[in-house]
Amino acid sequence: MMRVLAINGSPRVDGNTFCALSIMADELKKHGADTEIVHVGNDLIHGCMGCGYCAGSEEKQCVIKDDCVNQVALKMREADAIILGSPTYYFGIAGTMKCFLDRAFFPNYWGGHFRNKIGAVVSVVRRTGGIETTNQLRVYMSATEMIVPQLQYIPVMYGRAKGEVAQDEEGIQIMKRHAEAMVWLYKTKEAAKDIVELPKAEPFVRTNFIR
Ligand SMILES: Cc1cc2nc3c(=O)[nH]c(=O)nc-3n(C[C@H](O)[C@H](O)[C@H](O)COP(=O)(O)O)c2cc1C
């Protein structure tokens, strides 16, 4: 059974992002997958300080240990698939979620624990900026070599007041199709496990242009 961890980056625990993630979780359940939704957007999360501690840490943990980041990052490591959900704040990821993502993903940047896991993202928006938020969320997944299914429409749901996205029928269909695509990808990966080798991690060739 695929274990999915869905991360709610909204400060409004029961808002539209939660609603979008719940639609995906319900659909995943229909296909036999188990989803846990964790809320990070309502926590007090410090931004990344760029200190580099995590890179040298065996467990790839952050030096700041008094918020949820390290604990949720461990859960992400155990999951088969990860969904990132964020409301759109000024055409991008909501601030607390950005702080969370920088710190949870940075130690996994190269050959880290999230490699080859299945991923999906969802953003909610009142009107404009959903594409930007979605693309920003996806960057974390590509930078850690996660596998993200693509569909014909990007996963954005529309609504302002809590729960309004439940009226976005097209968005609901997109959420469900994404969930289905995640399950298909997982089953394909499992079926191929002993037949096709996953791409191997390589040492990081780092070219910095200012020396
Ligand atoms: C600080 C802030 C900034 C926002 N920026 C945008 C924006 O750039 N574009 C937009 O269409 N909606 C914007 N919104 C509206 C939210 O994206 C929208 O209400 C969303 O449904 C909230 O999701 P939630 O219920 O999960 O918190 C903003 C809301 C807040 C509080």
Side-chain angles (χ1 to χ4, degrees):
M1 182 200 276
M2 175 165 74
R3 291 157 305 146
V4 183
L5 188 75
I7 297 173
N8 179 8
S10 173
R12 302 201 293 189
V13 171
D14 56 350
N16 288 319
T17 308
F18 176 69
C19 197
L21 292 174
S22 300
I23 293 164
M24 285 188 88
D26 289 348
E27 191 65 17
L28 285 162
K29 194 171 181 186
K30 279 190 202 155
H31 292 277
D34 189 31
T35 307
E36 180 187 356
I37 300 178
V38 293
H39 304 285
V40 304
N42 61 335
D43 204 350
L44 277 177
I45 301 179
H46 203 291
C48 175
M49 299 192 297
C51 68
Y53 171 92
C54 60
S57 139
E58 185 84 358
E59 290 299 305
K60 297 193 182 299
Q61 294 273 284
C62 179
V63 71
I64 305 167
K65 300 187 194 291
D66 59 358
D67 58 28
C68 70
V69 174
N70 282 336
Q71 192 196 342
V72 177
L74 279 177
K75 275 179 180 278
M76 290 162 78
R77 192 168 148 179
E78 282 159 16
D80 299 307
I82 298 165
I83 307 173
L84 302 178
S86 178
T88 297
Y89 278 11
Y90 288 93
F91 293 73
I93 299 171
T96 309
M97 178 63 160
K98 174 88 169 83
C99 291
F100 170 82
L101 294 171
D102 286 353
R103 286 174 47 211
F105 276 81
F106 192 63
N108 292 289
Y109 179 58
W110 195 268
H113 295 301
F114 306 158
R115 270 190 96 245
N116 297 321
K117 284 189 193 294
I118 292 158
V121 302
V122 52
S123 67
V124 301
V125 61
R126 183 189 71 81
R127 189 170 180 84
T128 317
I131 295 173
E132 286 84 348
T133 308
T134 303
N135 285 340
Q136 286 171 19
L137 290 170
R138 277 206 182 125
V139 167
Y140 290 91
M141 299 197 157
S142 53
T144 45
E145 298 183 278
M146 291 179 64
I147 308 166
V148 183
Q150 304 291 330
L151 290 177
Q152 74 272 43
Y153 263 117
I154 60 155
V156 179
M157 290 197 84
Y158 288 86
R160 185 190 64 79
K162 287 181 185 176
E164 256 177 24
V165 288
Q167 295 168 51
D168 177 8
E169 282 181 31
E170 189 171 346
I172 291 169
Q173 187 181 29
I174 294 167
M175 291 304 110
K176 289 183 175 175
R177 295 220 50 215
H178 265 77
E180 205 183 329
M182 286 173 77
V183 174
W184 170 79
L185 204 50
Y186 177 72
K187 286 183 178 167
T188 306
K189 210 178 132 191
E190 283 298 292
K193 205 159 59 183
D194 301 324
I195 310 167
V196 187
E197 225 183 300
L198 283 166
K200 284 200 172 68
E202 281 187 18
F204 192 1
V205 180
R206 188 194 285 267
T207 309
N208 296 340
F209 294 98
I210 300 172
R211 292 168 190 273

